[in-house]
Amino acid sequence: MKTPKQTSRRSFLKTSAGVAGMLAFGGLLPQTARASKLSVGFIYVGPKDDYGYNQSHAEGAAAVKQMPGVSVVEEENVPETVDVQKTMESMINFDGVNLLFPTSFGYFNPHILELAPKYPDLRFEHCGGLWSADKHPSNVGSYFGYIGMGQYLNGVVAGHTSKSKKIGFVAAKPIPQVLLNINSFLLGARSVDPNITCQVIFTGEWSLAVKEAEATNALVDQGVDVVTCHVDGPKVVMETAAGRGAYVCGYHANQSPLAPDKYLTGAEWNWAKVYTDMVKTVQSGGQIDNFVRGGLAEGFIKMSPLGPAVTDTARNQFAATQSEILKGGYAVIKGPMKDNKGKVIAGSGQSFAETDVALESMNYLVEGVIGSTS
Amino acid sequence: MTMPAPYQVSRFGLIDTSPTGTLAALARRSEGLAIPLAALLAGLLLFGLFLLMLGKSPVEYYALVYKAGFGTAFSWQNTLSRAAPLLLTALCVALPARLGLVVIGGEGAIVLGGVAAGAVAMLIPGGGTGFILMMAMFAMLTGALWIGLVGLMRFYRGVNETIASLLMAYIGIALMNHLVEGPLRDPNSLNKPSTLPLTPEQRIGDLPGMDVHWGLAFGIVACVVAWILIERTRWGFAARIAGGNVRAAQIQGLPVGWLIVGFTALGGAFAGLAGMIEVAAVHGSANASLAAGYGYTGILVAFLARHNPLAIIPVAILLGGFEAANGLVQRRMDLPDATVLVMQGMVFIVILMSETLYGRCKLFTPEKWRAT
Amino acid sequence: MSTTVDIGMWGVPLAILGGAIRVSTPFLFVSLGEVLTERSGRINLGLEGTLVFGAMAGYAAAYESSSPWIGVLGAALAGTLFGLLHGWICKFPRVNDIAIGIALMLLGMGLAFFFGKPYIQPVAPDLPSIPLGAWSDIPQVQAALNVNALFLIGIVIALLMTWMFRSSRLGLIIRVAGDSTDAARAMGLKPDRIRLLSTAAGGALAGIAGAYLSLYYPGSWNEGISSGQGLMAVALVIFARWNPLYCFWAALLFGGAGALGPALQSVGITQGYYLFYAAPYVLTLGVLIATSSRNQTLAGAPGALSITR
């Protein structure tokens, strides 16, 4: 992820020449030299080496950097306020970017939606937002991956590994993406043993080290022996849980170096594939689809290599389930199923495949999850 | 000691050099400008040395800061957008400071002011200028209540306002999170829990001809109003007496309790207004992004401005400019995003240190001119 | 891992106990440091920056030397430097110590993030813990009573400081400087030097608090490692009435109340967790209101402190 100094100096000379030219035209004209050189901007909400969400995107950016004919600019720790609007405009005005990846969910509404109409020649690609043709500008696209499937596979391994039949989940906020992950984790484990329960603790913030550690401790105190999470940087949860002797399943990026013995597997983003594909499309003069989704099969997500503690039976079921999912259209939520308040969420015969948009507005925790959505 | 003659031949020539003359007045006035400016320069030089030690070019750095902070029309818009909320949150510190109170919890008033604005937009239908003013009023009332409570606790129970306001800030943020994710949540705000989006008629637009929202104008007007209150009214005068010595103020029959509650409440009202502007001009609904740290940055702005509401304006703009430039510096010079924090830290320490020079430089102190 | 015992609702008091021990140490160290500084007549509001820089410096030193204790030493040294800087700047007349503290907070955090980037990924050795719960058969009790040496050292420092202020010559000198600059001068003391050294020692303690965060609990360096513990601990000093022993109780109260939120969720009390998370702040405010009184200006407050004047 670190740029060698020479590269950055070279790109500085190039871009500064470009800026000098732009300033002559008043400094506010977007660069028109799209065909010659593509300039891509990445914006992160946190530090880009957080062992988590931002790192997964920065790894994607690093892959784009390796491509010929592309220059990449990055900015980290950009809050979801007017700051991100100005950061995008600064990249547009001073670096002449033609393709922007503002990667945090909260950047979409209102910030990207505010800016996109002002720069119709530019492309804004946003991670996670629900783009819809009738509501949003056509130069905005949204992409996301079915990472719930990864959490389902995490759950399969967790179900085989857990002795106490209690698994745990440290979550930031009860929003649909997180709820889907929690439900998938439990349902994966229940595919092994239907008596397993999953305890969830919400910390209320995307990044809050001490509270994440306390939540992990509270889970282990209640007998949980496999822990996963959905927070921006899973480092603290992984280290704390492993330190207490529990097994861990990773999320966002590969955290196995943090707990080599206790790490079972993990659901990782594979943004390198997504970003290089998108950049190739633009380079070849094509148009990126406004609504891009993909899962394991499409290479949007991948699983960390299985750890040493994973038994052979677990390995077999993991492999079998994975090949099922790779066929596409796999449904985690399928009837008959109730939520943890007893309400029916899927009648018998009803199922929601991974691609089902209904899953993106999930507002329940399934039966067997101990926790509340509000 | 002989009485000084009003006119005499000095090294300034035949002009009025008496401590009451025009040149003297000019000298006294320029002290307040020259010392901070010199300190700013010294601080920038100090940070330049830091960059040199790391093998980076200070010249390149400052050229980028100038370009991205103040060099183009866009840069100015970027700078002013970032300065806008700081004008109001700094007042939340500067006004109570007149009474000698250190309030550091403006963040709580911002987020709750924002929630109040979001709630009003959600519960009361309508739009237009009148509606926006009502929304502002509710937000200000909420902020005033929150920080005024700190003043109330101070006066009636002797609870230290610094710790109380900090605690109230944390409580306020928790309350905000609870409300926007619970009772006030728009069920359609899926992955970013928020209140119902404001309608276009309920939102605040940009200043005419600029890409900066009206919050900037609100902030500048608020600073001017606060300055008039402090410098030109008897309440401001009374507050300064009470700030110097509470006992003396009480003996003179000044309503110290009212002053404490009033000034803290007014400061809170301005912070609440900042929250409402964030909702109505930037976010379009109230959500967790309201807790962006403007309340804490405001503390720094107020102290740098020596709690003078008019001085808050240039200080906030300077800070906004530094932050506006940080992105370009990060991208061009391969410096981490924390560079701006280091620079601000160094520059502000030098500026704050320069306080010690007031009244010491002979050039600005007419009383000392004669000594030589 | 020894299998845990089903402890049900007992998890809540146990979590409060464990949390009090795990979470309180940084609060304890920072507030003890600030007591020392404030008793000498200055306020250093910037200990949050010192704590964050200490967390980074401690982690870096521990990683480079493979010894967590060298990390603690490094953090203390870094904290001392910040304290010296604050103490030196504030000796100039008319320089506002609170304002300098805020600027130093910015500088400390900035330098920590600036130089800390290369240390986010590596794993540094953690400080060892002392198994004070070995007598119990219940793993959760054992875990809760796994105590870090720094916690015990913190208690010892609190006791020593109490004794120092009460009955040692050094304590008397610091208190005189804190109560009245003029009185100290009249006694032939040098208040500026006393304050410089007190602020330096206070900085060292805040640096150690940072090392506790990065080397023990939660035990890693990243930019979000502190959630304002340094700032809160400075405020707790007023709550603790400038008494080192009260600082200990305040830190325990704060740590224990902070564990309430996650613990309640873990036993199934899941609604309104934001409000439970606010418990430490509400509780502190409540105690503050109950114990303050209108007519009595803060008992125990050093007279020369700008905040109490």
Side-chain angles (χ1 to χ4, degrees):
Chain A
M1 273 178 308
K2 290 196 178 67
T3 348
K5 274 186 190 123
Q6 294 215 309
T7 339
S8 72
R9 179 152 307 158
R10 240 183 296 139
S11 64
F12 166 65
L13 288 174
K14 269 179 211 152
T15 33
S16 55
V19 167
M22 275 168 53
L23 286 176
F25 290 101
L28 288 171
L29 293 172
Q31 234 181 16
T32 44
R34 171 174 295 201
S36 61
K37 173 115 179 172
L38 184 65
S39 179
V40 188
F42 287 90
I43 302 170
Y44 315 109
V45 72
K48 60 184 179 182
D49 36 15
D50 62 353
Y51 260 111
Y53 186 80
N54 298 296
Q55 179 172 329
S56 74
H57 287 287
E59 283 168 2
V64 173
K65 257 185 213 164
Q66 303 300 319
M67 298 170 71
V70 183
S71 68
V72 170
V73 288
E74 294 172 277
E75 219 178 297
E76 51 185 331
N77 283 325
V78 179
E80 296 166 354
T81 60
V82 78
D83 288 20
V84 68
Q85 296 183 21
K86 296 301 171 191
T87 290
M88 289 190 275
E89 280 194 285
S90 172
M91 285 182 166
I92 295 164
N93 286 331
F94 293 126
D95 297 308
V97 296
N98 353 61
L99 176 59
L100 268 164
F101 289 97
T103 57
S104 180
F105 185 87
Y107 290 160
F108 188 69
N109 190 359
H111 309 298
I112 290 176
L113 296 180
E114 190 104 327
L115 224 55
K118 269 165 57 183
Y119 298 95
D121 295 339
L122 257 78
R123 186 83 194 165
F124 296 78
E125 280 295 330
H126 177 253
C127 181
L130 279 168
W131 183 85
S132 71
D134 50 332
K135 276 195 288 190
H136 300 137
S138 60
N139 59 332
V140 175
S142 90
Y143 58 92
F144 204 62
Y146 306 121
I147 198 155
M149 290 296 150
Q151 281 291 10
Y152 186 79
L153 284 167
N154 274 349
V156 169
V157 181
H160 277 285
T161 312
S162 173
K163 295 203 168 56
S164 65
K165 303 300 168 199
K166 282 183 183 169
I167 56 178
F169 202 113
V170 179
K173 287 173 185 266
I175 60 170
Q177 285 172 13
V178 176
L179 297 177
L180 177 61
N181 280 333
I182 300 168
N183 291 335
S184 301
F185 185 57
L186 173 80
L187 293 171
R190 285 207 159 180
S191 76
V192 179
D193 180 343
N195 292 319
I196 290 177
T197 56
C198 177
Q199 174 78 54
V200 56
I201 295 184
F202 292 103
T203 62
E205 299 286 342
W206 288 105
S207 178
L208 200 60
V210 172
K211 197 139 283 165
E212 287 159 13
E214 278 300 294
T216 313
N217 272 313
L219 286 174
V220 178
D221 279 345
Q222 285 299 318
V224 162
D225 59 357
V226 186
V227 176
T228 189
C229 65
H230 186 165
V231 293
D232 271 357
K235 193 180 182 189
V236 166
V237 174
M238 298 293 137
E239 289 184 331
T240 309
R244 287 289 303 269
Y247 291 98
V248 291
C249 293
Y251 189 64
H252 285 318
N254 187 352
Q255 287 106 23
S256 66
L258 298 173
D261 298 334
K262 296 291 182 183
Y263 194 79
L264 300 175
T265 181
E268 298 176 32
W269 296 107
N270 189 17
W271 296 125
K273 149 116 180 101
V274 181
Y275 291 159
T276 48
D277 281 356
M278 285 183 172
V279 168
K280 269 181 214 152
T281 308
V282 175
Q283 276 179 323
S284 61
Q287 181 85 15
I288 310 173
D289 287 338
N290 292 83
F291 192 81
V292 178
R293 291 287 187 278
L296 269 175
E298 295 81 8
F300 276 46
I301 62 166
K302 60 184 179 189
M303 299 303 293
S304 318
L306 294 174
V310 182
T311 60
D312 285 340
T313 37
R315 274 168 205 274
N316 290 338
Q317 194 183 338
F318 177 88
T321 315
Q322 190 172 23
S323 60
E324 259 327 287
I325 293 172
L326 284 172
K327 286 178 195 161
Y330 196 85
V332 166
I333 306 285
K334 50 177 185 272
M337 193 174 279
K338 287 181 179 163
D339 71 8
N340 66 357
K341 290 174 191 150
K343 207 177 115 212
V344 175
I345 48 172
S348 59
Q350 194 181 8
S351 74
F352 298 89
E354 64 172 0
T355 49
D356 201 320
V357 183
L359 295 178
E360 298 191 19
S361 49
M362 183 172 274
N363 59 2
Y364 52 81
L365 289 163
V366 297
E367 190 179 1
V369 177
I370 305 159
S372 160
T373 53
S374 65
Chain B
M1 197 176 144
T2 53
M3 290 292 285
Y7 293 91
Q8 66 175 153
V9 180
S10 72
R11 60 190 149 122
F12 295 105
L14 189 70
I15 42 172
D16 182 1
T17 58
S18 68
T20 49
T22 38
L23 189 68
L26 193 71
R28 282 203 193 89
R29 290 259 160 131
S30 50
E31 182 181 39
L33 200 63
I35 290 182
L37 280 180
L40 174 66
L41 212 64
L44 293 176
L45 278 174
L46 182 71
F47 181 71
L49 277 178
F50 174 78
L51 285 177
L52 268 182
M53 271 161 45
L54 296 169
K56 302 275 179 186
S57 156
V59 177
E60 185 186 355
Y61 182 86
Y62 287 120
L64 287 175
V65 169
Y66 173 73
K67 181 161 90 176
F70 310 98
T72 70
F74 164 72
S75 306
W76 268 104
Q77 290 171 353
N78 191 350
T79 298
L80 293 176
S81 300
R82 289 171 198 258
L86 303 181
L87 296 171
L88 290 166
T89 59
L91 284 177
C92 186
V93 183
L95 284 173
R98 284 287 148 164
L99 284 148
L101 303 179
V102 183
V103 169
I104 60 175
E107 190 83 356
I110 301 174
V111 297
L112 290 178
V115 169
V120 167
M122 206 162 158
L123 302 173
I124 307 171
T129 313
F131 185 88
I132 288 169
L133 286 178
M134 179 184 69
M135 207 157 56
M137 206 186 68
F138 270 97
M140 290 176 79
L141 214 61
T142 310
L145 262 173
W146 202 249
I147 304 295
L149 209 57
V150 172
L152 214 64
M153 286 191 280
R154 165 80 198 199
F155 184 67
Y156 286 104
R157 294 290 310 165
V159 175
N160 179 281
E161 76 286 353
T162 309
I163 177 168
S165 64
L166 185 66
L167 292 166
M168 293 280 282
Y170 285 113
I171 297 169
I173 293 170
L175 209 56
M176 178 269 293
N177 273 314
H178 178 75
L179 290 172
V180 299
E181 286 186 23
L184 292 178
R185 179 172 177 176
D186 165 23
N188 291 320
S189 65
L190 294 175
N191 281 313
K192 189 175 182 183
S194 310
T195 58
L196 207 65
L198 272 62
T199 62
E201 295 76 37
Q202 293 171 338
R203 297 203 51 179
I204 300 177
D206 286 342
L207 289 164
M210 283 172 91
D211 199 10
V212 182
H213 59 71
W214 272 94
L216 179 71
F218 280 51
I220 290 176
V221 169
C223 284
V224 173
V225 167
W227 183 81
I228 292 171
L229 172 73
I230 288 173
E231 300 291 335
R232 293 284 182 270
T233 68
R234 59 198 175 90
W235 298 296
F237 184 66
R240 266 186 291 170
I241 293 176
N245 188 333
V246 176
R247 290 264 182 281
Q250 275 167 333
I251 290 164
Q252 288 186 35
L254 291 173
V256 176
W258 280 110
L259 285 171
I260 289 179
V261 176
F263 269 66
T264 45
L266 190 61
F270 285 133
L273 180 64
M276 173 268 179
I277 291 168
E278 282 298 296
V279 167
V282 180
H283 296 292
S285 63
N287 56 49
S289 298
L290 278 169
Y294 294 135
Y296 298 111
T297 317
I299 305 170
L300 188 74
V301 174
F303 271 94
L304 279 170
R306 308 170 92 205
H307 307 304
N308 175 344
L310 283 186
I312 284 175
I313 300 170
V315 171
I317 291 174
L318 184 71
L319 212 81
F322 285 169
E323 290 187 356
N326 191 40
L328 192 64
V329 166
Q330 211 184 122
R331 303 193 303 265
R332 290 290 162 75
M333 292 182 70
D334 199 21
L335 282 166
D337 60 291
T339 313
V340 67
L341 289 178
V342 179
M343 175 176 71
Q344 286 174 351
M346 286 188 183
V347 170
F348 296 154
I349 285 171
V350 177
I351 293 180
L352 291 169
M353 268 179 87
S354 72
E355 300 258 319
T356 196
L357 296 176
Y358 287 88
R360 278 198 182 180
C361 291
K362 219 174 129 193
L363 184 62
F364 304 124
T365 320
E367 287 80 2
K368 290 187 182 169
W369 287 354
R370 278 151 184 274
T372 46
Chain C
M1 174 183 182
S2 50
T3 43
T4 49
V5 180
D6 188 8
I7 52 170
M9 292 302 271
W10 281 103
V12 177
L14 194 66
I16 292 174
L17 174 72
I21 294 172
R22 285 188 298 257
V23 181
S24 63
T25 310
F27 291 109
L28 177 61
F29 272 83
V30 175
S31 55
L32 287 179
E34 186 67 14
V35 164
L36 192 58
T37 307
E38 291 193 13
R39 279 283 183 120
S40 78
R42 288 238 180 90
I43 293 173
N44 182 358
L45 208 59
L47 289 187
E48 170 77 11
T50 312
L51 170 125
V52 173
F53 192 85
M56 191 281 290
Y59 198 77
Y63 174 72
E64 300 292 352
S65 69
S66 311
S67 157
W69 290 106
I70 290 186
V72 174
L73 211 66
L77 202 70
T80 310
L81 290 178
F82 274 95
L84 282 174
L85 187 62
H86 185 277
W88 175 71
I89 293 172
C90 292
K91 80 168 193 192
F92 295 102
R94 274 192 308 279
V95 173
N96 184 315
D97 51 352
I98 297 179
I100 289 289
I102 296 169
L104 268 175
M105 172 157 35
L106 213 62
L107 183 68
M109 290 167 75
L111 288 172
F113 299 161
F114 192 100
F115 292 110
K117 297 272 179 207
Y119 294 103
I120 296 178
Q121 295 276 333
V123 177
D126 273 2
L127 286 166
S129 54
I130 303 166
L132 289 187
W135 49 269
S136 169
D137 300 331
I138 305 170
Q140 289 97 323
V141 175
Q142 292 174 0
L145 292 178
N146 251 344
V147 172
N148 184 270
L150 284 179
F151 178 70
L152 303 175
I153 294 173
I155 298 176
V156 172
I157 294 177
L159 290 170
L160 273 177
M161 271 174 66
T162 311
W163 171 80
M164 182 181 85
F165 285 130
R166 203 168 283 164
S167 39
S168 83
R169 191 179 145 68
L170 181 65
L172 184 71
I173 288 173
I174 295 173
R175 272 169 47 208
V176 170
D179 277 335
S180 162
T181 312
D182 294 337
R185 289 224 174 87
M187 285 171 65
L189 300 170
K190 293 187 173 118
D192 280 333
R193 178 159 316 161
I194 295 166
R195 287 169 188 164
L196 176 76
L197 295 175
S198 299
T199 314
L205 290 176
I208 294 175
Y212 179 90
L213 282 177
S214 64
L215 291 173
Y216 186 70
Y217 193 74
S220 65
W221 160 245
N222 61 65
E223 291 176 14
I225 189 74
S226 162
S227 35
Q229 280 98 328
L231 194 60
M232 198 59 236
V234 170
L236 280 182
V237 171
I238 302 167
F239 177 71
R241 299 272 184 270
W242 293 270
N243 178 329
L245 269 188
Y246 289 178
C247 280
F248 172 66
W249 295 119
L252 275 190
L253 175 82
F254 217 73
L260 198 64
L264 284 176
Q265 282 191 62
S266 79
V267 298
I269 300 168
T270 50
Q271 299 223 318
Y273 46 85
Y274 280 113
L275 303 181
F276 290 124
Y277 284 149
Y281 311 109
V282 176
L283 213 61
T284 311
L285 193 61
V287 174
L288 209 55
I289 294 171
T291 57
S292 302
S293 91
R294 182 180 181 175
N295 299 320
Q296 181 191 2
T297 45
L298 298 166
L305 223 50
S306 51
I307 211 162
T308 53
R309 273 198 300 238

